[in-house]
């Protein structure tokens, strides 16, 4: 498992909340466990005490994405560094459970979990994964969806750094909204031009000399 993979942990946690809509799906132990995905061993350690702790880490990770999205890359790095210092990880080489076609281990870096609780473990791997993504691709690759009211976090992996939305659904919704806005503007301009034209015609008629 490559270290950059762990950046998805940060995205998944941040997107459990939709502040503009007042929604929060991080309300049960089961919801927290689902965030771990295939890392079932780590998920089994989740307790009720982790719920408020996870929400705190979520806010700190969202702050990283917000700073990066606003162009404050130094601020994003400082916020991420504070998480890395508070929640250190233990990188290890793994591969015995991933063999190639010839039966040889596919060696890769793995983040071992030796944390005291589920929140600390999740915070450590998500912060480290996000750090690897940021240093590999740049802070401007961390973004928040530009389709209001959605502000979901995303990682831009496009070749030309052009991503602006968290999903195809939001991109489509934003494009439709922009199209309708253009059509309304065109209609308003047409109405103004028509009104201006009629006013000019009326003025010409009122100032024209009367026929004898």
């Amino acid at each position: 498992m490559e270290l950059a993979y762990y950046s998805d942990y940060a995205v998944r946690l941040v997107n459990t909340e939709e502040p503009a809509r007042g929604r929060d799906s991080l309300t049960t132990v089961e919801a927290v466990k689902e965030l771990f995905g295939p890392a079932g061993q780590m998920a089994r350690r989740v307790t009720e005490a982790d719920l408020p702790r996870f929400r705190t880490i979520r806010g700190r990770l969202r702050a990283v994405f917000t700073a990066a999205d606003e162009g404050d890359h130094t601020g994003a790095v400082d916020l991420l560094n504070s998480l890395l210092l508070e929640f250190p990880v233990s990188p290890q080489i793994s591969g015995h459970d991933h063999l190639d076609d010839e039966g040889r281990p596919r060696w890769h870096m793995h983040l071992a979990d030796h944390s005291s609780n589920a929140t600390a473990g999740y915070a450590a791997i998500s912060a480290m994964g996000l750090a690897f993504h940021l240093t590999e691709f740049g802070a401007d690759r961390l973004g928040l969806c530009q389709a209001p009211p959605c502000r979901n976090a995303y990682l831009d992996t496009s070749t030309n750094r052009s991503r602006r939305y968290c999903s195809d659904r939001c991109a489509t919704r934003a494009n439709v909204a922009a199209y309708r806005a253009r059509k309304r503007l065109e209609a308003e301009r047409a109405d103004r031009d028509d009104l201006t034209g009629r006013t000019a015609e009326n003025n010409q008629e009122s100032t024209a000399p009367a026929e004898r």
Side-chain angles (χ1 to χ4, degrees), residues 15 17 20 23 58 63-65 130 134 142 157 191 202-203:
N15 291 346
E17 181 184 31
R23 298 176 184 172
R58 178 179 63 188
V64 175
F65 279 92
L130 205 55
L134 186 151
L142 279 58
T157 57
D191 289 342
N202 291 337
N203 289 338

Side-chain angles (χ1 to χ4, degrees), residues 105-176:
R106 295 182 183 273
W107 300 116
H108 58 272
M109 292 299 295
H110 174 77
L111 298 183
D113 178 31
H114 302 301
S115 56
S116 59
N117 57 67
T119 303
Y122 196 98
I125 60 177
S126 59
M128 180 58 74
L130 205 55
F132 271 96
H133 191 93
L134 186 151
T135 53
E136 178 71 19
F137 302 108
D140 58 342
R141 293 287 190 154
L142 279 58
L144 294 174
C145 187
Q146 299 300 303
C150 180
R151 293 293 283 167
N152 275 352
Y154 65 83
L155 299 171
D156 185 3
T157 57
S158 63
T159 56
N160 57 355
R161 300 174 184 265
S162 61
R163 185 170 178 178
R164 295 294 179 269
Y165 308 104
C166 68
S167 64
D168 291 339
R169 179 180 180 182
C170 276
T172 299
R173 183 161 55 84
N175 289 333
V176 170

